[in-house]
Amino acid sequence: GLEVVLDAQGFDALAEWADCIITGEGCTDSQSAMGKVVAGIGKRAKALHKPVAVLSGAVEEDAQALSAMGVTALFAAVHCARPLEWQVAHAKENLRFAARQLFSLMAALGKVSE
């Protein structure tokens, strides 16, 4: 199904001009490598020689399997040792923080302007 959606959206043509492809999901783990969107985008991007950054609510240790599928870097929105309830209540701010970290890195590499 994902291949059909990516083709319908013209993913390859859109990705051609991109310096980096950014995608995400709620929790990135070993299941992400088993046909989920993140893995599908990673495979497509790898074929196009484009780096992929994943912004997720949480990243489990076993998510590293995605690197073989074209995922370059994983960023988790959970950035401090607080209870799950706090993390959920502050999900928007946590994701914004993770995105800022990603774009700060890209700006330092000259890939985006601040």
Side-chain angles (χ1 to χ4, degrees):
L2 176 62
E3 296 298 322
V4 172
V5 172
L6 293 176
D7 287 342
Q9 296 299 315
F11 179 86
D12 292 352
L14 292 169
E16 281 297 322
W17 63 267
D19 290 323
C20 180
I21 297 166
I22 301 169
T23 187
E25 62 184 342
C27 180
T28 304
D29 57 19
S30 62
Q31 291 184 4
S32 301
M34 296 182 202
K36 288 192 170 183
V37 171
V38 169
I41 288 177
K43 288 177 185 176
R44 282 278 185 107
K46 184 176 183 178
L48 297 168
H49 307 288
K50 300 291 182 173
V52 175
V54 177
L55 285 172
S56 295
V59 175
E60 299 292 335
E61 290 179 28
D62 56 5
Q64 276 304 119
L66 289 166
S67 64
M69 298 178 153
V71 173
T72 309
L74 302 164
F75 293 85
V78 175
H79 63 274
C80 57
R82 302 255 176 118
L84 177 61
E85 296 79 20
W86 186 92
Q87 299 293 346
V88 171
H90 293 86
K92 184 176 180 179
E93 300 98 294
N94 292 345
L95 184 57
R96 185 177 293 126
F97 176 84
R100 279 192 187 125
Q101 299 311 301
L102 170 59
F103 285 104
S104 292
L105 174 61
M106 291 176 71
L109 296 172
K111 298 298 181 184
V112 296
S113 58
E114 290 190 64

